[in-house]
Each structure stands twice: as structure tokens, then as C-alpha cells.
Amino acid sequence: MRLIGSKALAGGNYLRAAGPNEVRCVVRESLGFYRSLVVGGIFEFAKPVDIRSISTYNYALRCCIDSHPRLSVVIADHDTDSPYFEFYPRIDLSQHVQFLDNETRKGETEAMAIQRNLPSILDEFLPTSIPSWKIVILPFSDKRCFIALSYSHALGDGLSGSAFHRTFLEALQEQRLESDLICTPTRKELSPPFDTPENLPISWAYLLSPFLGQYLPKWLSSLFGFSSEMNAVTDSTWTGTPIFYDPETLRTGVQLISINGDMVEDALKLCRMNDAKLTGLLHQLIIDALSEALPRPHKFDRLGGGTAINMRPTVEVSNDEMGVFASGDFQIYPLQEKSLGENGQFSWALAKEITDRLAIRSKEVKDQPLGLLRYLLSIRAWTLSKIGARREDSYAISNLMSFQPLGNVDNCAVSEMIFCRPTDVAGGAALSVNVISVRGGPMNITVNWQAGGLNLGAYEDEVVFVNTVCRHIEAGFARLCMTLDVSEKY
């Protein structure tokens, strides 16, 4: 039997077959179900530069291409179950740089301008005949701009975007101007896919659980621990509308909130004092927010929460390497009463419970859900079969943590970072929560969703709902940080 992603050698530029999770990423993009992943930052130059000239970024892009082999590959046979990577020996940088109109609307802040432009970046099809990435530049002045890396998820996960920007920022310190737009990268081998049987072994019990759970009587399935749904989503779990896709109307809604650096530091101190991590706290605040914001009356009593897990440390890969090294955890949580009681005391129980679970899951390699992909006969058919089915989660968090430069930032610095995922038609949660911060600076959170996918009426009603959720999260951080005694701040 032919393995998914297998391919006979396709000439001198063949690198390797895509791994199962890479195939999943390729398939959903080729179907239009997922478009462009975005990781961006606000760059501040020490001296004025020609913000709208490719020559300002030419050298930095060349450094990125040289450091990250994934930027010089194309995906061949992307519309099949057996895509593979090919080396692309001649890159025209003009095809990988886009400048946006820098006209801001009346009363519009930089954050508002970024939020307004994000949907069009996220929903754009990236070309497959050239490497599927580009930088998108939104100028603010001759010393300040927002630079987004827009790229195929098959080339890299969220942390790959951070790795790109670290290399990019380091190269910008040299302030070299280059006019030659043709880059001829050195061919380098790609690291092997991480979701191999050796890295992610699957037990027979875990493999058969979804199948037997679907066909055995419920009482017998429960007795033996078999479930037809790995994350046990039920009718009482809020997951928005069933999965749907209309290529003419697909639209990603985006809301952006920012938690200032002082508040982030206070939250981190409180997390350490209560044996929790920030991701666990974010889960708790989101569950609080959704529990309060869901329009009443409703039939829901639980939420499904997903978490992207960085598996690089477990498989001994550097965070500075681009690639697809993410797995996931899925859990069901009951709707919550407010975590902050009338006495002003914050209950850390759920945040600590989630933190403890994620700490264990991030080190486990056996029976990771991702490992099941290699047993599918056709990932493409499986992806298509999801149309009309229930969404997998109520919300899903991906936290890229704190962005930290590789070295000095005397000539150019990054003051803020923004991370955003596009609509994930076939495998996504109703709400996608994307988190990234900078050391000593703000933590930015984007909440995005498929327009029409929340089952709350018109798009305008969805915007109101997501705004309410965002305001609850902001207020949760503010109320929480008020519980920190002044003597504990320093």
C-alpha cells in the first residue's frame, strides 16, 4: 500500500515527500479551506529609511532565505494526496513583497489600521507556482511600519513566523541597500517531518477508539473507553454553525486586543505564585468570557477548548527552525461562574488544572491525535467529508509566547508582534485565539472566526459578540492584576 505523501523522485529539485500533517495543511489550502497564516511586527528604525522600497528589505530577505530552507521550496502535486517539496532555485523578490496603502482613516490608530487590513491578507490565496510566502508592509512613517509575514501553513507553523522575524530583524541591523531582486538560494535539505511513527507512536487501543466508538453500543463503548469523537463534543457544546464553505463569501473576522506590558508582567507574577502558566490563565479567562457572553437563553452547558502545542523541545528541534512541529490538545470544560468572586479573590483552580495537563501533554509522544493522520487512506477525502459536520471546538488557543531578538537592536527594533490564523473551514474551532508578546512590551491577542460561523445571526451580530468576549478578557486581566499586592510587584 502506498504511504500518504510518497512520491517517486521528480528530478534534481526533489527534496522530500510531505509528512501527514504537512499533507493535511497542503490539502486544506488547495481546497481553499485555509488561506494564509500571518505573523507580523511593528518595526521601528532608529533613522529614517525608504519604507516603501524593496531595497530596504532586500538584504534581510536574502538572509532569511539563506537561513530557512523552507522559504526556497514549492509544493508539487498540491492538489493530490501525495504532495512533495521541490527546491526553487531562482526567487524574484518582487513577487514576495507587497506594500499596502498607508492612508489611515480619520481617528484610526495603528492597531485599528492593522486590524482593518488583516482579513484581506488572511483570506488571500498564495501562489503555488513560486514559494508560498511574502512580506506585507503597512507604512506608518519613514521610521515605522507593520511588516507581516504571510505564508502557507505547510511551510511552517506559528513559531516559524517568529523564527523568520528574528532572522529578519537581525539582518535589518546592518541597513544594507540592495537593488538586485533576483535571489539564487543554495539548495539545502529539509528536516524530516516530525510526525513519524518513531516520534509519535500510536497504540492499538487509541487507533481503534474512534472506529469502535462509532459502531459499538454506547454502553459497551463507555465500558471499554472507546469514543467516536476524540474530544467528546456533544449537542450541549457550543461550536457555532456546522462546517460550511462558500468560496465566493469566505471571510475571516478579526478582533485585536492588547494587554499592556505592565499588566502582562503582573499576570506572569501571579501565575508563578499560583503554579500556573499564562496559557492556562488565558483558557480560564476565555471560558469565563464565553460563559457570560453567549446570548441567553441557550441550551449549552460546556465548551470545547483546543491548545496548539509546540513539540520542538520534545523532538529536540530548535525554536529558530521553520517547519510544522505543532500538535494539539483538546478538552471539554463546563460553563463557568465568574473566576473572580465578590470578595475579590480569584480562583486559580482551572488555570492550574489546565497548566498541569498541558505540561504533561507537551512531553508525551505516544497517542498524540496528530499521529492518527498517517492511518487515513485519503487525507483529501477526509477533509472534504467534514463539510456539514460539527466544528471540533468552541475555541482554540495558539500562544507563540514572547518574541525575543537574536542580538542587539540598535538600528531597528520590534515594539509589538501580532499573530493571526485564517478561517480554518475543515478543522477549526468556532473562535481562534492567537497570542504573542514582546519582552517588556504588550501582549497582543487576535480573535478570529469564519463570518457566518458563530450561529449568532448577521455578521454585525458576530462582531458585537466577539467584541464582548474581548472586553471580558481585557477586564479579566485588569481585575486579576488588581489582586496583586503592591509589595508583590517588585
Side-chain angles (χ1 to χ4, degrees):
M1 185 173 81
R2 187 177 68 172
L3 294 176
I4 289 174
S6 65
K7 182 73 179 180
L9 290 181
N13 288 328
Y14 176 88
L15 292 171
R16 68 165 173 81
N21 195 30
E22 292 167 335
V23 173
R24 181 183 70 91
C25 293
V26 172
V27 163
R28 64 184 181 178
E29 290 174 15
S30 73
L31 293 171
F33 291 179
Y34 193 101
R35 307 290 171 83
S36 301
L37 192 61
V38 170
V39 178
I42 295 180
F43 285 70
E44 298 180 344
F45 294 88
K47 298 178 180 179
V49 298
D50 191 348
I51 287 284
R52 298 189 65 88
S53 172
I54 294 180
S55 63
T56 301
Y57 315 100
N58 189 323
Y59 172 71
L61 287 175
R62 290 171 182 274
C63 289
C64 289
I65 292 168
D66 183 62
S67 299
H68 303 291
R70 295 244 173 185
L71 298 177
S72 56
V73 303
V74 291
I75 300 167
D77 283 0
H78 60 87
D79 56 351
T80 74
D81 269 313
S82 300
Y84 59 96
F85 295 101
E86 281 189 338
F87 173 61
Y88 197 80
R90 186 180 185 275
I91 297 176
D92 182 347
L93 294 178
S94 68
Q95 297 177 312
H96 296 272
V97 181
Q98 177 185 358
F99 293 96
L100 299 179
D101 185 0
N102 64 348
E103 289 185 5
T104 56
R105 298 177 180 177
K106 185 177 181 180
E108 190 175 57
T109 63
E110 289 181 354
M112 293 166 66
I114 292 170
Q115 178 178 297
R116 172 168 55 84
N117 281 284
L118 276 174
S120 62
I121 304 173
L122 294 164
D123 293 339
E124 182 180 5
F125 282 105
L126 290 169
T128 56
S129 58
I130 61 175
S132 298
W133 65 269
K134 66 178 176 179
I135 60 169
V136 183
I137 300 163
L138 176 63
F140 296 131
S141 71
D142 59 2
K143 296 172 62 177
R144 188 176 170 90
C145 63
F146 173 67
I147 302 178
L149 174 67
S150 170
Y151 58 108
S152 164
H153 205 322
L155 297 184
D157 51 21
L159 281 174
S160 298
S162 295
F164 171 92
H165 281 291
R166 278 193 292 274
T167 306
F168 191 72
L169 178 62
E170 183 180 46
L172 285 176
Q173 305 307 317
E174 296 196 31
Q175 302 279 291
R176 289 196 199 178
L177 295 178
E178 293 193 15
S179 57
D180 184 5
L181 295 177
I182 303 303
C183 176
T184 53
T186 302
R187 176 187 168 127
K188 298 178 182 178
E189 296 301 315
L190 298 182
S191 296
F194 101 96
D195 51 338
T196 62
E198 294 74 24
N199 286 339
L200 300 181
I202 296 293
S203 67
W204 279 107
Y206 190 74
L207 174 62
L208 295 176
S209 181
F211 176 79
L212 294 178
Q214 184 174 359
Y215 292 104
L216 291 177
K218 286 188 176 180
W219 67 270
L220 190 58
S221 296
S222 300
L223 181 64
F224 288 101
F226 296 131
S227 170
S228 61
E229 296 185 65
M230 299 305 294
N231 58 354
V233 167
T234 68
D235 288 341
S236 64
T237 310
W238 178 74
T239 55
T241 66
I243 294 170
F244 68 94
Y245 176 63
D246 183 344
E248 301 300 322
T249 62
L250 182 73
R251 177 183 179 189
T252 300
V254 178
Q255 291 292 320
L256 169 64
I257 59 177
S258 185
I259 310 299
N260 70 60
D262 290 340
M263 196 173 290
V264 173
E265 286 300 314
D266 287 350
L268 289 171
K269 286 188 177 76
L270 284 164
C271 285
R272 288 191 291 268
M273 292 164 57
N274 291 277
D275 298 320
K277 296 287 188 181
L278 191 59
T279 300
L281 173 61
L282 283 165
H283 270 284
Q284 184 162 341
L285 294 178
I286 292 165
I287 293 168
D288 281 357
L290 286 172
S291 298
E292 196 163 330
L294 282 172
R296 299 177 189 277
H298 61 69
K299 64 178 182 179
F300 308 113
D301 62 11
R302 61 181 66 189
L303 299 168
T307 313
I309 298 177
N310 175 28
M311 299 298 290
R312 284 173 173 81
T314 305
V315 295
E316 298 181 342
V317 172
S318 168
N319 281 339
D320 290 321
E321 180 173 341
M322 292 185 71
V324 184
F325 297 98
S327 187
D329 180 69
F330 310 94
Q331 282 295 294
I332 297 295
Y333 307 104
L335 295 184
Q336 299 288 307
E337 299 294 330
K338 291 182 179 179
S339 295
L340 190 65
E342 293 182 2
N343 61 358
Q345 293 296 311
F346 185 85
S347 172
W348 285 87
L350 183 57
K352 187 177 185 306
E353 175 189 326
I354 295 172
T355 296
D356 292 343
R357 174 180 172 81
L358 292 178
I360 294 171
R361 291 296 287 161
S362 66
K363 294 179 175 62
E364 289 180 340
V365 292
K366 185 178 181 180
D367 292 343
Q368 285 275 358
L370 195 64
L372 295 172
L373 285 173
R374 63 178 177 265
Y375 294 98
L376 294 174
L377 293 178
S378 170
I379 290 179
R380 191 176 187 86
W382 172 73
T383 303
L384 283 167
S385 73
K386 289 175 171 284
I387 298 296
R390 179 184 290 275
R391 295 178 191 273
E392 294 181 352
D393 289 298
S394 310
Y395 71 93
I397 294 179
S398 183
N399 183 4
L400 300 189
M401 316 297 282
S402 175
F403 175 82
Q404 299 186 18
L406 294 173
N408 75 78
V409 289
D410 295 337
N411 292 320
C412 183
V414 170
S415 59
E416 297 186 39
M417 290 291 290
I418 291 171
F419 167 42
C420 202
R421 290 177 284 177
T423 290
D424 184 358
V425 171
L431 293 176
S432 174
V433 182
N434 316 290
V435 186
I436 191 168
S437 61
V438 294
R439 182 175 11 178
M443 177 174 68
N444 287 326
I445 303 171
T446 60
V447 180
N448 60 274
W449 71 99
Q450 181 180 3
L454 301 186
N455 202 23
L456 295 172
Y459 175 72
E460 291 73 19
D461 299 317
E462 293 178 332
V463 172
V464 170
F465 171 76
V466 176
N467 261 323
T468 301
V469 171
C470 290
R471 298 295 82 79
H472 276 300
I473 295 171
E474 288 179 315
F477 271 103
R479 290 195 301 267
L480 172 66
C481 292
M482 288 175 63
T483 67
L484 185 65
D485 190 272
V486 174
S487 62
E488 297 171 324
K489 286 178 175 280
Y490 306 102

PDB file of all heavy atoms in Angstrom, residues 420-443:
ATOM      1  N   CYS A 420      -1.967  35.872  13.708  1.00  0.00           N
ATOM      2  CA  CYS A 420      -3.356  35.638  13.342  1.00  0.00           C
ATOM      3  C   CYS A 420      -3.453  34.463  12.377  1.00  0.00           C
ATOM      4  O   CYS A 420      -2.642  34.335  11.459  1.00  0.00           O
ATOM      5  CB  CYS A 420      -3.971  36.887  12.713  1.00  0.00           C
ATOM      6  SG  CYS A 420      -5.766  36.940  12.782  1.00  0.00           S
ATOM      7  N   ARG A 421      -4.446  33.620  12.619  1.00  0.00           N
ATOM      8  CA  ARG A 421      -4.712  32.489  11.735  1.00  0.00           C
ATOM      9  C   ARG A 421      -5.951  32.788  10.896  1.00  0.00           C
ATOM     10  O   ARG A 421      -6.884  33.425  11.370  1.00  0.00           O
ATOM     11  CB  ARG A 421      -4.929  31.213  12.551  1.00  0.00           C
ATOM     12  CG  ARG A 421      -3.675  30.702  13.226  1.00  0.00           C
ATOM     13  CD  ARG A 421      -3.953  29.484  14.090  1.00  0.00           C
ATOM     14  NE  ARG A 421      -4.609  29.830  15.338  1.00  0.00           N
ATOM     15  CZ  ARG A 421      -5.009  28.944  16.242  1.00  0.00           C
ATOM     16  NH1 ARG A 421      -4.834  27.658  16.021  1.00  0.00           N
ATOM     17  NH2 ARG A 421      -5.592  29.343  17.369  1.00  0.00           N
ATOM     18  N   PRO A 422      -5.996  32.267   9.677  1.00  0.00           N
ATOM     19  CA  PRO A 422      -7.174  32.494   8.845  1.00  0.00           C
ATOM     20  C   PRO A 422      -8.308  31.558   9.241  1.00  0.00           C
ATOM     21  O   PRO A 422      -8.139  30.668  10.091  1.00  0.00           O
ATOM     22  CB  PRO A 422      -6.663  32.161   7.440  1.00  0.00           C
ATOM     23  CG  PRO A 422      -5.656  31.081   7.690  1.00  0.00           C
ATOM     24  CD  PRO A 422      -4.983  31.446   8.991  1.00  0.00           C
ATOM     25  N   THR A 423      -9.452  31.741   8.613  1.00  0.00           N
ATOM     26  CA  THR A 423     -10.533  30.778   8.759  1.00  0.00           C
ATOM     27  C   THR A 423     -10.016  29.379   8.433  1.00  0.00           C
ATOM     28  O   THR A 423      -9.369  29.166   7.414  1.00  0.00           O
ATOM     29  CB  THR A 423     -11.687  31.124   7.793  1.00  0.00           C
ATOM     30  OG1 THR A 423     -12.322  32.317   8.251  1.00  0.00           O
ATOM     31  CG2 THR A 423     -12.710  30.003   7.738  1.00  0.00           C
ATOM     32  N   ASP A 424     -10.285  28.430   9.335  1.00  0.00           N
ATOM     33  CA  ASP A 424      -9.934  27.027   9.098  1.00  0.00           C
ATOM     34  C   ASP A 424     -11.246  26.279   8.922  1.00  0.00           C
ATOM     35  O   ASP A 424     -11.857  25.819   9.881  1.00  0.00           O
ATOM     36  CB  ASP A 424      -9.145  26.483  10.293  1.00  0.00           C
ATOM     37  CG  ASP A 424      -8.654  25.062  10.068  1.00  0.00           C
ATOM     38  OD1 ASP A 424      -8.966  24.489   9.010  1.00  0.00           O
ATOM     39  OD2 ASP A 424      -7.968  24.524  10.957  1.00  0.00           O
ATOM     40  N   VAL A 425     -11.686  26.191   7.667  1.00  0.00           N
ATOM     41  CA  VAL A 425     -13.026  25.667   7.376  1.00  0.00           C
ATOM     42  C   VAL A 425     -13.212  24.255   7.909  1.00  0.00           C
ATOM     43  O   VAL A 425     -14.185  23.945   8.586  1.00  0.00           O
ATOM     44  CB  VAL A 425     -13.294  25.699   5.857  1.00  0.00           C
ATOM     45  CG1 VAL A 425     -14.599  24.960   5.530  1.00  0.00           C
ATOM     46  CG2 VAL A 425     -13.357  27.131   5.347  1.00  0.00           C
ATOM     47  N   ALA A 426     -12.254  23.371   7.619  1.00  0.00           N
ATOM     48  CA  ALA A 426     -12.483  21.952   7.855  1.00  0.00           C
ATOM     49  C   ALA A 426     -12.012  21.454   9.217  1.00  0.00           C
ATOM     50  O   ALA A 426     -12.411  20.374   9.633  1.00  0.00           O
ATOM     51  CB  ALA A 426     -11.800  21.133   6.764  1.00  0.00           C
ATOM     52  N   GLY A 427     -11.189  22.199   9.905  1.00  0.00           N
ATOM     53  CA  GLY A 427     -10.659  21.648  11.150  1.00  0.00           C
ATOM     54  C   GLY A 427     -10.613  22.623  12.289  1.00  0.00           C
ATOM     55  O   GLY A 427      -9.990  22.361  13.322  1.00  0.00           O
ATOM     56  N   GLY A 428     -11.268  23.753  12.129  1.00  0.00           N
ATOM     57  CA  GLY A 428     -11.086  24.802  13.109  1.00  0.00           C
ATOM     58  C   GLY A 428     -12.173  24.885  14.152  1.00  0.00           C
ATOM     59  O   GLY A 428     -13.235  24.279  14.050  1.00  0.00           O
ATOM     60  N   ALA A 429     -11.890  25.657  15.182  1.00  0.00           N
ATOM     61  CA  ALA A 429     -12.850  25.968  16.225  1.00  0.00           C
ATOM     62  C   ALA A 429     -13.733  27.121  15.762  1.00  0.00           C
ATOM     63  O   ALA A 429     -13.436  27.805  14.783  1.00  0.00           O
ATOM     64  CB  ALA A 429     -12.114  26.343  17.504  1.00  0.00           C
ATOM     65  N   ALA A 430     -14.813  27.347  16.487  1.00  0.00           N
ATOM     66  CA  ALA A 430     -15.665  28.496  16.175  1.00  0.00           C
ATOM     67  C   ALA A 430     -14.882  29.790  16.320  1.00  0.00           C
ATOM     68  O   ALA A 430     -14.997  30.697  15.493  1.00  0.00           O
ATOM     69  CB  ALA A 430     -16.894  28.497  17.086  1.00  0.00           C
ATOM     70  N   LEU A 431     -14.063  29.877  17.371  1.00  0.00           N
ATOM     71  CA  LEU A 431     -13.215  31.052  17.604  1.00  0.00           C
ATOM     72  C   LEU A 431     -11.757  30.614  17.674  1.00  0.00           C
ATOM     73  O   LEU A 431     -11.432  29.629  18.336  1.00  0.00           O
ATOM     74  CB  LEU A 431     -13.586  31.753  18.914  1.00  0.00           C
ATOM     75  CG  LEU A 431     -14.947  32.434  18.999  1.00  0.00           C
ATOM     76  CD1 LEU A 431     -15.167  32.979  20.408  1.00  0.00           C
ATOM     77  CD2 LEU A 431     -15.067  33.552  17.978  1.00  0.00           C
ATOM     78  N   SER A 432     -10.907  31.352  17.005  1.00  0.00           N
ATOM     79  CA  SER A 432      -9.469  31.113  17.057  1.00  0.00           C
ATOM     80  C   SER A 432      -8.825  32.254  17.846  1.00  0.00           C
ATOM     81  O   SER A 432      -9.013  33.425  17.517  1.00  0.00           O
ATOM     82  CB  SER A 432      -8.893  31.054  15.632  1.00  0.00           C
ATOM     83  OG  SER A 432      -7.491  30.955  15.664  1.00  0.00           O
ATOM     84  N   VAL A 433      -8.091  31.902  18.904  1.00  0.00           N
ATOM     85  CA  VAL A 433      -7.469  32.894  19.781  1.00  0.00           C
ATOM     86  C   VAL A 433      -5.955  32.771  19.615  1.00  0.00           C
ATOM     87  O   VAL A 433      -5.370  31.718  19.900  1.00  0.00           O
ATOM     88  CB  VAL A 433      -7.873  32.678  21.245  1.00  0.00           C
ATOM     89  CG1 VAL A 433      -7.254  33.749  22.136  1.00  0.00           C
ATOM     90  CG2 VAL A 433      -9.395  32.677  21.391  1.00  0.00           C
ATOM     91  N   ASN A 434      -5.322  33.849  19.161  1.00  0.00           N
ATOM     92  CA  ASN A 434      -3.908  33.816  18.784  1.00  0.00           C
ATOM     93  C   ASN A 434      -3.148  34.844  19.606  1.00  0.00           C
ATOM     94  O   ASN A 434      -3.517  36.015  19.631  1.00  0.00           O
ATOM     95  CB  ASN A 434      -3.771  34.118  17.291  1.00  0.00           C
ATOM     96  CG  ASN A 434      -4.820  33.371  16.473  1.00  0.00           C
ATOM     97  OD1 ASN A 434      -4.758  32.167  16.342  1.00  0.00           O
ATOM     98  ND2 ASN A 434      -5.804  34.095  15.957  1.00  0.00           N
ATOM     99  N   VAL A 435      -2.078  34.396  20.250  1.00  0.00           N
ATOM    100  CA  VAL A 435      -1.429  35.212  21.276  1.00  0.00           C
ATOM    101  C   VAL A 435       0.067  35.321  20.996  1.00  0.00           C
ATOM    102  O   VAL A 435       0.729  34.330  20.670  1.00  0.00           O
ATOM    103  CB  VAL A 435      -1.631  34.586  22.678  1.00  0.00           C
ATOM    104  CG1 VAL A 435      -1.093  35.508  23.770  1.00  0.00           C
ATOM    105  CG2 VAL A 435      -3.102  34.249  22.920  1.00  0.00           C
ATOM    106  N   ILE A 436       0.609  36.531  21.144  1.00  0.00           N
ATOM    107  CA  ILE A 436       2.053  36.741  21.044  1.00  0.00           C
ATOM    108  C   ILE A 436       2.395  38.030  21.762  1.00  0.00           C
ATOM    109  O   ILE A 436       1.586  38.958  21.824  1.00  0.00           O
ATOM    110  CB  ILE A 436       2.520  36.780  19.567  1.00  0.00           C
ATOM    111  CG1 ILE A 436       4.054  36.737  19.473  1.00  0.00           C
ATOM    112  CG2 ILE A 436       1.962  38.001  18.839  1.00  0.00           C
ATOM    113  CD1 ILE A 436       4.578  36.487  18.056  1.00  0.00           C
ATOM    114  N   SER A 437       3.580  38.088  22.333  1.00  0.00           N
ATOM    115  CA  SER A 437       4.012  39.283  23.062  1.00  0.00           C
ATOM    116  C   SER A 437       5.456  39.589  22.702  1.00  0.00           C
ATOM    117  O   SER A 437       6.108  38.833  21.976  1.00  0.00           O
ATOM    118  CB  SER A 437       3.879  39.063  24.578  1.00  0.00           C
ATOM    119  OG  SER A 437       4.705  37.981  24.995  1.00  0.00           O
ATOM    120  N   VAL A 438       5.940  40.715  23.196  1.00  0.00           N
ATOM    121  CA  VAL A 438       7.363  41.047  23.091  1.00  0.00           C
ATOM    122  C   VAL A 438       7.891  41.268  24.498  1.00  0.00           C
ATOM    123  O   VAL A 438       7.151  41.702  25.385  1.00  0.00           O
ATOM    124  CB  VAL A 438       7.610  42.306  22.224  1.00  0.00           C
ATOM    125  CG1 VAL A 438       7.226  42.068  20.785  1.00  0.00           C
ATOM    126  CG2 VAL A 438       6.863  43.501  22.773  1.00  0.00           C
ATOM    127  N   ARG A 439       9.167  40.968  24.693  1.00  0.00           N
ATOM    128  CA  ARG A 439       9.749  41.114  26.019  1.00  0.00           C
ATOM    129  C   ARG A 439       9.672  42.567  26.467  1.00  0.00           C
ATOM    130  O   ARG A 439      10.132  43.479  25.774  1.00  0.00           O
ATOM    131  CB  ARG A 439      11.204  40.645  26.011  1.00  0.00           C
ATOM    132  CG  ARG A 439      11.837  40.732  27.381  1.00  0.00           C
ATOM    133  CD  ARG A 439      13.236  40.191  27.500  1.00  0.00           C
ATOM    134  NE  ARG A 439      13.922  39.879  26.268  1.00  0.00           N
ATOM    135  CZ  ARG A 439      15.175  39.429  26.240  1.00  0.00           C
ATOM    136  NH1 ARG A 439      15.837  39.247  27.362  1.00  0.00           N
ATOM    137  NH2 ARG A 439      15.762  39.162  25.104  1.00  0.00           N
ATOM    138  N   GLY A 440       9.056  42.794  27.612  1.00  0.00           N
ATOM    139  CA  GLY A 440       8.930  44.144  28.152  1.00  0.00           C
ATOM    140  C   GLY A 440       7.853  44.977  27.504  1.00  0.00           C
ATOM    141  O   GLY A 440       7.665  46.143  27.839  1.00  0.00           O
ATOM    142  N   GLY A 441       7.131  44.397  26.541  1.00  0.00           N
ATOM    143  CA  GLY A 441       6.100  45.147  25.825  1.00  0.00           C
ATOM    144  C   GLY A 441       4.748  44.487  25.943  1.00  0.00           C
ATOM    145  O   GLY A 441       4.528  43.602  26.785  1.00  0.00           O
ATOM    146  N   PRO A 442       3.810  44.861  25.086  1.00  0.00           N
ATOM    147  CA  PRO A 442       2.443  44.360  25.195  1.00  0.00           C
ATOM    148  C   PRO A 442       2.282  42.924  24.699  1.00  0.00           C
ATOM    149  O   PRO A 442       3.118  42.411  23.943  1.00  0.00           O
ATOM    150  CB  PRO A 442       1.647  45.325  24.310  1.00  0.00           C
ATOM    151  CG  PRO A 442       2.634  45.767  23.279  1.00  0.00           C
ATOM    152  CD  PRO A 442       3.955  45.836  23.988  1.00  0.00           C
ATOM    153  N   MET A 443       1.217  42.309  25.151  1.00  0.00           N
ATOM    154  CA  MET A 443       0.780  41.025  24.617  1.00  0.00           C
ATOM    155  C   MET A 443      -0.441  41.298  23.746  1.00  0.00           C
ATOM    156  O   MET A 443      -1.443  41.833  24.218  1.00  0.00           O
ATOM    157  CB  MET A 443       0.400  40.064  25.749  1.00  0.00           C
ATOM    158  CG  MET A 443      -0.143  38.725  25.261  1.00  0.00           C
ATOM    159  SD  MET A 443      -0.415  37.547  26.612  1.00  0.00           S
ATOM    160  CE  MET A 443      -1.778  38.346  27.477  1.00  0.00           C
TER     161      MET A 443
END
